[in-house]
């Protein structure tokens, strides 16, 4: 039974779908208007972001309503292979439905990238393990510093960013150093669910690097599919919901979120933080 059918057979009253797809939309405003009408008719809750580069979002509703919405989305241009991760919930996880039109479905702030056609090569977990085991491969974590602190892959470089829009500046400095050394290595990139690394690989390729790869389905799919004994993952994976962090098999980790600054920390750790939200990591006792 796959994740979709498992979700459909669960007795929980809400099915949750996290989705994205880089595609070329000539009329994002028209697509968004149609989605507002459909989501209202389906009594859907959550957020969808539509842009000229595609669609991204997380929604919740009855299982049949989610099916109807996903069927509709897969009819959009370039969205037949829409990436969807399913879960279930006993209570409504969102208060209302929002469909927004933005310049980007995930904000990098670089301009005219084309992730739908220029992203790196997808790798499944087994091929990913082989690639990052090669000491000549550069492994880059595209997430923010507080996410990396919870867990990351063996040998991964932490850019130390506080927001995704900081990544291009970091990479350009890193790339300049590589080129000064005369290096053009294989580059393996990853993120939580796939969307950030897909866009950042398009950035890296636009900077003149050809052998660029990213983990299909992100860390979450890797942790779901890869046996722990064969895994190259270290720690837990931070997630943007009430679970805070998950480990292999998507087992919920033992982390909580600081109410003062919003950053994660181990449940049994004494901590203090910058309550002004400045993003200090780690919390220190």
């Amino acid at each position: 039974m796959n994740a979709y059918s498992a979700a459909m057979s669960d007795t929980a009253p809400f099915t949750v779908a996290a989705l994205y797809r880089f595609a070329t939309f000539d009329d994002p405003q028209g697509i968004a208007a149609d989605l507002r009408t459909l989501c209202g008719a389906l009594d859907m809750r959550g957020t969808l972001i539509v842009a000229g580069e595609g669609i991204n979002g997380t929604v919740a509703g009855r299982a049949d309503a989610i099916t109807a919405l996903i069927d509709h989305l897969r009819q959009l241009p370039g969205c037949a292979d829409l990436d969807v991760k399913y879960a279930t919930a006993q209570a409504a996880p969102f208060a209302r439905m929002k469909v927004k039109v933005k310049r980007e479905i995930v904000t990098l702030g670089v301009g005219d990238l084309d992730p739908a056609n220029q992203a790196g090569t997808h790798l499944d977990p087994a091929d990913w393990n082989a690639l990052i085991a090669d000491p000549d491969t550069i492994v880059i974590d595209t997430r923010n510093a507080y996410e990396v602190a919870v867990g990351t892959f063996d040998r991964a470089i932490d850019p130390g960013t506080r927001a995704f829009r900081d990544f291009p500046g970091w990479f350009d400095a890193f790339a300049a150093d590589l080129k000064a050394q005369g290096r053009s290595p294989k580059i393996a990139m990853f993120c939580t669910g796939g969307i950030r690394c897909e866009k950042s690989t398009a950035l890296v390729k636009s900077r003149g690097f050809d052998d660029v790869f990213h983990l299909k389905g992100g860390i979450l799919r890797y942790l779901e599919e890869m046996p722990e004994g064969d895994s190259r993952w270290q720690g837990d994976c931070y997630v943007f919901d009430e679970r805070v962090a998950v480990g292999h098999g998507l087992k919920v980790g033992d982390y909580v979120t600081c109410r003062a600054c919003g950053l994660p920390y181990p449940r049994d750790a004494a901590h203090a933080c910058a309550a002004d939200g400045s993003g200090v990591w780690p919390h220190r006792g």
Side-chain angles (χ1 to χ4, degrees):
M1 179 180 290
N2 60 28
Y4 176 72
S5 58
M8 297 295 282
S9 65
D10 199 283
T11 58
F14 294 94
T15 296
V16 183
L19 59 95
Y20 81 90
R21 180 68 178 175
F22 285 106
T24 301
F25 291 164
D26 294 330
D27 183 18
Q29 293 285 355
I31 290 172
D34 289 344
L35 285 172
R36 291 186 189 104
T37 299
L38 177 61
C39 290
L42 294 173
D43 194 26
M44 200 72 65
R45 298 290 186 270
T47 300
L48 292 173
I49 298 171
V50 182
E53 67 178 12
I55 189 165
N56 178 30
T58 304
V59 292
R62 303 182 317 273
D64 60 333
I66 291 290
T67 298
L69 175 63
I70 299 303
D71 286 347
H72 174 85
L73 293 176
R74 286 187 166 140
Q75 299 304 309
L76 295 175
C79 290
D81 295 325
L82 179 76
D83 187 87
V84 187
K85 296 179 180 67
Y86 295 97
T88 57
Q90 293 295 330
F94 308 109
R96 59 195 179 96
M97 186 69 216
K98 296 177 285 185
V99 180
K100 303 177 181 180
V101 177
K102 295 188 175 183
R103 293 187 64 180
E104 301 178 73
I105 60 173
V106 57
T107 303
L108 192 59
V110 173
D112 296 328
L113 290 177
D114 183 12
N117 297 300
Q118 296 177 344
T121 302
H122 284 108
L123 294 180
D124 64 23
D127 291 335
W128 174 262
N129 273 4
L131 177 66
I132 68 173
D134 180 349
D136 293 328
T137 298
I138 289 177
V139 186
I140 301 175
D141 195 328
T142 68
R143 301 171 303 153
N144 298 319
Y146 67 91
E147 300 171 77
V148 178
V150 175
T152 191
F153 278 105
D154 181 34
R155 296 198 312 106
I157 296 171
D158 174 11
T161 55
R162 291 174 57 182
F164 190 44
R165 65 177 62 89
D166 298 333
F167 185 83
W170 174 85
F171 183 78
D172 285 345
F174 182 73
D177 186 54
L178 288 178
K179 290 177 180 178
Q181 299 174 43
R183 299 177 63 194
S184 184
K186 292 180 180 179
I187 298 178
M189 306 172 74
F190 64 93
C191 61
T192 306
I195 186 170
R196 284 182 284 181
C197 50
E198 192 157 344
K199 190 161 189 177
S200 56
T201 57
L203 168 74
V204 170
K205 292 187 72 175
S206 77
R207 298 308 198 245
F209 293 86
D210 297 323
D211 292 329
V212 184
F213 305 85
H214 56 109
L215 179 58
K216 186 174 183 179
I219 301 161
L220 294 180
R221 186 159 292 162
Y222 182 92
L223 293 177
E224 183 178 15
E225 296 180 0
M226 178 59 62
E228 187 168 358
D230 298 328
S231 175
R232 299 186 68 88
W233 178 261
Q234 300 174 343
D236 285 338
C237 176
Y238 177 80
V239 290
F240 297 87
D241 59 41
E242 68 281 354
R243 296 173 296 173
V244 184
V246 298
H248 287 92
L250 301 184
K251 180 181 178 181
V252 176
D254 199 20
Y255 278 78
V256 293
T257 300
C258 177
R259 293 184 179 181
C261 71
L263 296 177
Y265 66 94
R267 187 182 303 275
D268 59 357
H271 71 282
C273 71
D276 62 358
S278 62
V280 173
W281 177 268
H283 291 69
R284 302 186 187 277

